[in-house]
Amino acid sequence: MPGTLIIITAPSGAGKTTLVRGLLDRDPQVHLSVSYTTRSPRPGEENGRAYHFVDTESFRELRDRGEFLEWAEVHGNYYATSRTWIREQMAAGRDIVLEIDWQGAQQVRRVFPEAVGVFVLPPSFEELESRLRGRGSDSDDVIARRLLGARGEMRHVGEFDYAIINNELQEAIDDLVAVVRASRLRCANQRARHATYFETLEQD
Amino acid sequence: MPGTLIIITAPSGAGKTTLVRGLLDRDPQVHLSVSYTTRSPRPGEENGRAYHFVDTESFRELRDRGEFLEWAEVHGNYYATSRTWIREQMAAGRDIVLEIDWQGAQQVRRVFPEAVGVFVLPPSFEELESRLRGRGSDSDDVIARRLLGARGEMRHVGEFDYAIINNELQEAIDDLVAVVRASRLRCANQRARHATYFETLEQD
């Protein structure tokens, strides 16, 4: 009973996190990928829930063994997606959501070509800018850098299977829920899930 | 604002007609393809609604011009799907559902490779047989022929993008609605629908 791997990519400000939370609320079969990280657990953070916490040495070992689908350094801490963990989850029939950037998405697709890629777009550049400004906390310089990063990210929209324009949040959540539901119904997925039935169908 | 072409194929007894009616009720953007036919209109049947009614001579002319995506003879009457009509509907942004068999599906995909193919399966062969018997009106011989036909049709499930198993009707309608919604969100469709935005995104 194999699950589906869903890659979700978006520029900062497109509302990806809220969208993914909406998907998880609506579809109990879908689970967020649990990353490895070298950062310290915050109070109340349980190992294996939000993150697998490891020290830098173990992280390097895992990485050198090729255990990571993709990894990145953010503010001096390392984060990575485990190949084995994803495989186990999918074998157990769970659908896993990976929130990563376009480069991570490319790396994951090399290992899991059947993964479904979803790119979340803001309604427009203007709207993205006003959302980033609306946070109020960032300097013009930071906002300009974010916008430039967003433009760079959005150029890769064509590498994804689906593009969801996050204009109206509820509509966009419905879109994402539909994409995940449809992905489960792809012929290859159905064949894997109902192997005996499909064998009978497709035999000579 | 281009629409999506959805091909729905199923063996007799899988519940395709009920499913499609459910889809049309749920999603007002979706319209059934209007076929050409040489059969006479029944009382109350309006030309251009359920069918485009034509005489055999006009039908042959249209066919010889290559106007038909696919055509078939059923009980001495001809039925066909018009290429031009589909193109017009899709250009107007309508999503069109075509209910055809696997051979028709192959022909349509040659002309519209971006069409979405959905195969509807009964929950099992046994269930299909009991549904066909349940109609009560057919002889054993007719049922045996239908089952053989169904088996022949179902061998082609792998040629379709999606397989929906019609076990619980409401679930299967939800599946079909999700497939249509997701199809609209495919990157190529979104690019066609939001051409200016995507051009800005993807320019150098």
Side-chain angles (χ1 to χ4, degrees):
Chain A
M1 199 177 90
T4 307
L5 183 60
I6 304 130
I7 299 169
I8 302 189
T9 302
S12 125
K16 181 179 62 172
T17 310
T18 320
L19 254 178
V20 168
R21 204 177 304 135
L23 170 67
L24 297 174
D25 285 347
R26 284 272 299 279
D27 190 332
Q29 273 183 71
V30 179
H31 301 268
L32 212 52
S33 165
V34 178
S35 299
Y36 278 77
T37 184
T38 58
R39 85 154 166 73
S40 312
R42 294 185 192 128
E45 274 189 337
E46 225 176 288
N47 193 28
R49 275 185 71 93
Y51 289 100
H52 302 291
F53 296 100
V54 287
D55 58 31
T56 309
E57 168 112 3
S58 314
F59 190 96
R60 285 206 181 119
E61 264 176 41
L62 288 163
R63 187 194 63 190
D64 295 346
R65 265 202 259 143
E67 170 55 31
F68 294 147
L69 279 177
E70 50 96 38
W71 63 276
E73 201 210 310
V74 182
H75 305 309
N77 292 310
Y78 290 94
Y79 295 85
T81 308
S82 153
R83 188 189 290 261
T84 310
W85 186 86
I86 300 255
R87 273 202 214 287
E88 285 170 0
Q89 297 297 312
M90 287 174 71
R94 283 184 206 105
D95 299 320
I96 299 297
V97 167
L98 267 178
E99 295 183 61
I100 45 180
D101 67 8
W102 69 270
Q103 279 158 313
Q106 284 191 345
Q107 288 168 273
V108 170
R109 275 165 162 293
R110 249 171 257 141
V111 181
F112 294 101
E114 74 284 16
V116 175
V118 180
F119 199 98
V120 180
L121 289 168
S124 65
F125 280 119
E126 295 68 33
E127 177 62 23
L128 183 72
E129 185 165 355
S130 98
R131 284 183 193 176
L132 290 175
R133 287 198 192 284
R135 295 178 175 178
S137 53
D138 302 312
S139 69
D140 280 2
D141 191 52
V142 168
I143 290 168
R145 229 184 309 134
R146 288 238 168 94
L147 275 171
L148 205 64
R151 276 187 179 265
E153 188 84 30
M154 286 195 270
R155 286 180 57 182
H156 294 273
V157 61
E159 297 162 20
F160 289 73
D161 301 302
Y162 296 99
I164 292 178
I165 301 177
N166 186 6
N167 191 4
E168 193 64 61
L169 177 66
Q170 206 46 58
E171 280 290 304
I173 292 176
D174 288 346
D175 283 346
L176 189 53
V177 168
V179 162
V180 171
R181 183 169 189 135
S183 300
R184 285 187 197 119
L185 300 167
R186 285 182 308 176
C187 216
N189 278 38
Q190 292 281 60
R191 184 181 290 114
R193 205 174 296 118
H194 306 276
T196 323
Y197 188 19
F198 273 69
E199 265 165 41
T200 335
L201 290 181
E202 294 178 319
Q203 77 198 355
D204 283 327
Chain B
M1 198 177 91
T4 308
L5 183 60
I6 304 130
I7 299 169
I8 303 189
T9 302
S12 126
K16 180 179 64 174
T17 310
T18 319
L19 253 178
V20 168
R21 204 177 305 136
L23 170 66
L24 297 173
D25 285 346
R26 284 272 299 279
D27 190 333
Q29 273 183 71
V30 179
H31 302 268
L32 212 51
S33 165
V34 178
S35 299
Y36 278 78
T37 184
T38 58
R39 85 155 165 73
S40 313
R42 294 184 191 128
E45 275 190 337
E46 223 177 289
N47 192 28
R49 275 185 72 93
Y51 289 100
H52 302 291
F53 296 100
V54 288
D55 58 28
T56 310
E57 169 112 4
S58 315
F59 190 97
R60 284 205 181 119
E61 265 177 41
L62 287 163
R63 188 195 62 191
D64 295 346
R65 264 203 258 142
E67 169 55 30
F68 295 147
L69 277 178
E70 51 96 40
W71 63 276
E73 200 209 309
V74 183
H75 306 309
N77 293 309
Y78 292 94
Y79 295 85
T81 307
S82 153
R83 187 189 290 261
T84 311
W85 185 85
I86 301 255
R87 273 204 213 288
E88 285 169 2
Q89 297 296 312
M90 287 174 71
R94 283 186 203 104
D95 298 320
I96 300 297
V97 167
L98 268 179
E99 293 184 63
I100 45 180
D101 66 9
W102 69 271
Q103 279 158 313
Q106 283 190 345
Q107 288 168 273
V108 170
R109 275 164 163 293
R110 250 170 256 140
V111 182
F112 294 101
E114 75 283 15
V116 175
V118 180
F119 199 98
V120 180
L121 288 169
S124 65
F125 280 119
E126 294 69 32
E127 177 62 24
L128 183 71
E129 186 166 353
S130 98
R131 283 184 193 175
L132 289 174
R133 285 197 193 287
R135 294 180 177 178
S137 53
D138 302 312
S139 68
D140 280 3
D141 192 54
V142 167
I143 290 168
R145 229 184 309 135
R146 287 239 169 94
L147 276 171
L148 205 65
R151 275 186 182 267
E153 187 86 30
M154 286 195 269
R155 286 180 58 184
H156 295 273
V157 60
E159 297 161 19
F160 290 72
D161 301 304
Y162 297 98
I164 292 178
I165 300 177
N166 186 6
N167 191 4
E168 193 64 64
L169 178 67
Q170 207 46 61
E171 280 290 304
I173 293 176
D174 288 346
D175 283 347
L176 189 53
V177 168
V179 162
V180 171
R181 184 169 188 134
S183 300
R184 285 190 196 117
L185 300 167
R186 286 181 308 176
C187 216
N189 277 39
Q190 292 281 58
R191 183 182 290 115
R193 205 174 296 117
H194 305 277
T196 322
Y197 188 19
F198 272 70
E199 265 164 42
T200 336
L201 290 181
E202 293 178 319
Q203 76 199 353
D204 283 328

